[in-house]
């Protein structure tokens, strides 16, 4: 019996790529998903974001933001996990302005922030000297 290629199997593969710090392989898997028109959802995108977060930040932040744009283009709504990972990547790359844009976008989406994302928002404000806001 063969393994069916669907969003569940691809999400598991993307999570394995994260665990093995294989973000470039994760991106090729994601690309393959797009070519095969696999039904994608927020969890798939989150797994891809997390795999990129395990990679080289200087490169992966731009790639991750491209994935985020693709997610929005395909009308998938990001969740708190999406924003937490994305803001974390931005902060590690000293892109505090982008982290704050993501924070504002999340708040406009009326998602309920958790302690991790509050920590990222505070760090972004501090990094940019915007701590009073």
């Amino acid at each position: 019996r063969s393994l069916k290629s669907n969003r569940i199997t691809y999400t598991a593969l993307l999570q394995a790529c994260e665990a093995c710090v294989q973000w470039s392989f994760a991106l090729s898997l994601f690309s393959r998903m797009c070519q095969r028109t696999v039904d994608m959802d927020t969890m798939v995108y989150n797994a891809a974001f997390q795999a990129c977060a395990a990679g080289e930040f200087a490169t992966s932040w731009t790639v991750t933001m491209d994935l985020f744009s693709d997610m929005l283009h395909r009308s998938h709504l990001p969740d708190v996990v999406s924003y937490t990972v994305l803001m974390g990547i931005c902060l590690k790359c000293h892109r505090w302005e982008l982290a704050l844009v993501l924070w504002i976008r999340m708040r406009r989406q009326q998602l309920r922030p958790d302690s991790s994302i509050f920590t990222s928002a505070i760090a972004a404000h501090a990094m940019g000297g915007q701590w009073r806001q």
Side-chain angles (χ1 to χ4, degrees):
R1 196 168 142 188
S2 66
L3 186 62
K4 186 177 179 183
S5 295
N6 59 27
R7 73 173 181 249
I8 296 168
T9 54
Y10 275 106
T11 300
L13 287 169
L14 290 168
Q15 290 169 338
C17 289
E18 173 194 3
C20 297
V21 193
Q22 295 294 320
W23 69 275
S24 59
F25 186 70
L27 291 174
S28 67
L29 280 173
F30 191 86
S31 177
R32 196 172 310 158
M33 286 180 72
C34 294
Q35 292 169 356
R36 292 186 178 177
T37 62
V38 173
D39 183 29
M40 302 198 302
D41 61 9
T42 300
M43 288 183 65
V44 173
Y45 279 95
N46 286 347
F49 297 154
Q50 290 167 326
C52 287
E56 300 167 24
F57 292 109
T59 305
S60 66
W61 82 269
T62 56
V63 174
T64 308
M65 293 312 295
D66 288 343
L67 288 175
F68 182 62
S69 294
D70 183 67
M71 176 187 204
L72 298 175
H73 177 73
R74 294 176 188 254
S75 301
H76 295 292
L77 287 177
D79 59 13
V80 173
V81 173
S82 310
Y83 287 111
T84 301
V85 175
L86 292 168
M87 286 177 68
I89 290 171
C90 291
L91 290 172
K92 288 179 182 174
C93 295
H94 303 285
R95 305 287 180 188
W96 61 269
E97 306 98 331
L98 188 52
L100 290 177
V101 168
L102 290 167
W103 167 254
I104 292 166
R105 182 181 190 93
M106 187 202 76
R107 298 299 290 161
R108 286 188 182 147
Q109 198 177 321
Q110 298 183 350
L111 293 174
R112 188 173 199 172
D114 61 12
S115 61
S116 296
I117 203 145
F118 271 122
T119 302
S120 293
I122 291 167
H125 281 92
M127 192 179 285
Q130 304 292 317
W131 58 272
R132 289 188 178 151
Q133 298 187 25

